[in-house]
Amino acid sequence: MDYKLLSENEIENFLENFNKKLQNAKNALEKLKNAENLSYKDFIRPFSDIVQDLHKQFTKLSHLNLVSNTPKTQEAYKKTLPMVTEFFTDISLDENIYNIYKKINSENNLSKVQKVVIEKGIRDFKLAGVHLPEKEKERVRQINLRLSELGNSFFQNILDDTDKFSMEVEESVLSEMPESEKQAAKKGDKYIFTLQMPSFIAFMTYCSDRKLREKMYRAFMTRAPQNEEIIEKILSLRYELSQILGFNNYAELSIYDKAAGSAEEVIEFQEDLAAKCRQKAENDFTELQSFAQNYNIKNLQSYDLMYFSEKLKKEKLNFSEEELRPYFEKDAVIDGLFTFLHKLFNIEFKAVNAELWHEKARCYKLYIDDVEQGTLFMDLEARKGKKDGAWMNDWITKYITSSNDIILPKAFVVANFPPSSENNPSLLRHRDVETLFHETGHALHHLLSNVKEFFVSGVNGIEWDLVEFPSQLLENFAFEPGILKMFARHYKTGEVIPDELIDKIVKNKNFHSGMGFVRQLEFGLFDMYIHMRKMSAEDVEKTLDEVRDRVAVIKPPEYTKFQNQFAHIFAGGYAAGYYSYKWAERLSANAFYDFLDNNIFNNGFAKRFLEEVLSLGGSANFEDVYEKFSGKKVDNASLLKLHGII
């Protein structure tokens, strides 16, 4: 089975081949929309085929550009992205298609899900500006095209600067570093560290030389200075777009199709949480600051936090990530995760021999009662040319085609865990295990969809501030003792992780959680405020400082430019939407405690959850559905309890 996606030759010729496919799609759509007496089945199903086919082809390139970034993928992606943006913008502004949706909406024989498809479609057409005069439509096209180009440049600038930097250090400053981390950094007789996340975290956590820690931190936090100008352009264009579409600002535009009611409600939600967490965060920081004074650090800085936090955890909790890593060998963790999911939802993942884009990537088929449901790809180890962080990306969506065939879904889970070598396996930190559970939760949302209408199947059509619900729910199970014992075994001896280490994991979960909580709120509030009005780069910096004055308990050095690397909101889907993490986590916390109350593996409860909540994809509002499922209103108390705030 070949899932290499694109060969070198196909990458070189991608633009030409994709252009042909795009032209075929345009011709097919033109013919389709000019047909007479179009019904849901006659129009929406073939329309879905056109969209899915283009998405499938373009995702081959966009995925490779994220995980195997080369000058060739960059060039192909940069040239193809405007074509894709233009095509979908033209669709969103097409009055003929909009009128077809309105006509179909008057049909009496639509199913409940089909009605949702049409109603969400009509909303999205209005939101895109289908009602505008042609002159303003043309400006919307120009803005969307330019925003896609700027977002790609923003991402590429970060990746380029990440790959450029490396720092050679003497072994003497690594005396506190675990041997496995040192070996990962050893190149011949030298120790070289980079801004790739596993390397950066290891260095900032264990390097005893404060000046070197600051040098590494400065390099990380000053990446992509050219993004400052891009931010100003992006914000200006977003503000202009919101004005054209009849909104006061981009925050209002962003919130319009989300679960939250208004930008003001979102700000109030985050400010309220910040007030409740502030004391815990201040107590956390005071404790860390006092501890650092034992090492003659009078003024604790951002580049000290990981180092002294690790030392304090060792002293206070006798906790060390390195002590845990032998129990979390990557492949064993994957197998254990699948075992847990089988017990929870009666689903089964089976490994498949396949040619993939990288030798470290893996392919799995998903089954329920021996019936294939979809395909999951995992690419989990860090390497050069791979975007930082972790994510799930949908490739193919489950739906019924115009030929009445059922297409099975496919999804990618990508991470940047410590790389394996010929002599050493990939040994994960527990936070890596948590990340794997999280991203797999996203994949389950997409793969286990029981909806057969493309536009609301899987992650399609989901309110963006609820999209994190399945992933955040699943990550909480990575701290449950019984679940950890399913897969946490010493990679050399096979010993099951002892209870005392599990106890440390559980206690460490909310170690200084107040600081982590307010940091997320800092990001979310900053994101909302900079989208409330038109802003210059200077305004952006000032807004970030103001939010930090109210929310943060430590301010980074003045040279840091966090905003220049905030790809979530400038090169991702979270513009005026970063609050979504906490908004959805409120729901996932409520659901998690309900699972605990039902003993986790109560198959009746889990089965009902899968059938009545998770499998609905984007066809229903998760918050409304879950409240109906659980019989109670969602509250903030469970979220604060989950983080040890109350």
Side-chain angles (χ1 to χ4, degrees), residues 16-28:
E16 180 183 349
N17 293 331
F18 188 80
N19 192 34
K20 292 177 183 176
K21 185 169 284 291
L22 190 61
Q23 192 55 53
N24 290 337
K26 289 178 180 179
N27 294 339

Side-chain angles (χ1 to χ4, degrees), residues 143-203:
I143 290 173
N144 286 339
L145 182 61
R146 186 65 180 135
L147 283 173
S148 70
E149 292 170 346
L150 290 168
N152 182 49
S153 296
F154 189 97
F155 151 73
Q156 194 63 53
N157 289 338
I158 298 170
L159 185 58
D160 289 346
D161 279 8
T162 300
D163 285 345
K164 281 178 191 172
F165 180 88
S166 65
M167 185 166 71
E168 183 181 338
V169 300
E170 299 294 329
E171 187 176 10
S172 59
V173 303
L174 306 178
S175 59
E176 299 174 36
M177 185 172 288
E179 191 60 32
S180 62
E181 300 281 20
K182 286 172 65 176
Q183 288 304 313
K186 194 170 186 180
K187 304 291 185 285
D189 58 351
K190 300 176 181 178
Y191 292 92
I192 298 175
F193 290 86
T194 71
L195 300 183
Q196 297 288 340
M197 198 54 68
S199 180
F200 174 77
I201 290 174
F203 190 83

Side-chain angles (χ1 to χ4, degrees), residues 323-329 332 480-503 505:
E323 186 181 14
L324 298 171
R325 287 180 63 189
Y327 294 92
F328 296 131
E329 189 275 322
E480 287 301 301
I483 294 168
L484 286 169
K485 286 193 173 186
M486 288 182 178
F487 59 85
R489 288 178 169 78
H490 198 286
Y491 79 103
K492 287 184 176 178
T493 66
E495 174 202 12
V496 176
I497 188 169
D499 289 338
E500 63 185 62
L501 287 185
I502 291 179
D503 189 50
I505 291 172

Side-chain angles (χ1 to χ4, degrees), residues 254-300:
S254 175
I255 296 293
Y256 188 80
D257 61 352
K258 293 182 172 66
S262 67
E264 289 73 23
E265 181 185 3
V266 167
I267 289 173
E268 183 181 348
F269 165 72
Q270 294 181 102
E271 294 281 10
D272 178 64
L273 288 176
K276 287 182 169 66
C277 296
R278 177 79 189 195
Q279 190 59 57
K280 172 78 162 63
E282 288 179 348
N283 293 345
D284 291 346
F285 182 67
T286 298
E287 180 183 40
L288 193 59
Q289 199 169 33
S290 297
F291 177 76
Q293 287 176 357
N294 298 331
Y295 297 86
N296 296 316
I297 302 297
K298 307 298 182 190
N299 184 21
L300 194 68

